[in-house]
Amino acid sequence: MLKGIPGVIHAELLHVLASMGHGDELVIADANFPAARDAKRLIRTSGISTSDLAAAILTLVPLDEYVEAPLGLMKPERPQDRNAPALKELRAALAKIAPGVKIEDIPRSEFYPRARNAFAIVATSDMRPYANVLLKMGVIAGRADGR
């Protein structure tokens, strides 16, 4: 048993997060995303939205401070999809948990290749289109004595 770990972060996901290093990318994907095809490491979750899972993960991991935008959302290609409810909710959740952190709009044609190269993809059961987020892992600074 562990204290302080959000209940939605199960052991397999916790292991993946702990295994990631600086610059590694993680994709949290909706149910429509081809995660099984594209993932180097696939973790499945259910019963939680992409927004809520991203918020829980961001309580545990640092974001990369050496890049302009350590968070990314899939940018819809069609104008009618640009205000997708999932995108609005993700932006609000990310702004709340990571205030001031820039969020990159990643064109769909670029998001998929980045996902294929990501450290892992977490597949959610979120059925809403465009409920996909990419985060780039940062570092946790240690003390001067190396601890």
Side-chain angles (χ1 to χ4, degrees), residues 9 53 60 63 67 78 83 90 99 110 127 138:
I9 310 255
L53 185 58
L60 300 176
L63 291 171
V67 297
R78 302 181 319 172
N83 291 318
L90 272 167
E110 294 174 24
M127 294 297 294

Side-chain angles (χ1 to χ4, degrees), residues 7-85:
V8 297
I9 310 255
H10 54 72
E12 183 183 11
L13 178 52
L14 188 60
H15 177 263
V16 164
L17 296 174
S19 299
M20 292 177 68
H22 181 230
D24 283 338
E25 292 185 329
L26 178 76
V27 172
I28 306 165
D30 64 36
N32 297 297
F33 196 85
R37 178 192 72 198
D38 289 349
K40 290 180 183 178
R41 293 166 192 84
L42 176 62
I43 299 94
R44 294 197 177 275
T45 63
S46 61
I48 186 167
S49 70
T50 300
S51 301
D52 289 342
L53 185 58
I57 288 171
L58 287 171
T59 66
L60 300 176
V61 302
L63 291 171
D64 195 336
E65 296 177 2
Y66 296 97
V67 297
E68 185 178 344
L71 294 169
L73 298 175
M74 183 187 286
K75 180 181 177 182
E77 292 177 350
R78 302 181 319 172
Q80 65 266 35
D81 295 332
R82 294 216 173 103
N83 291 318

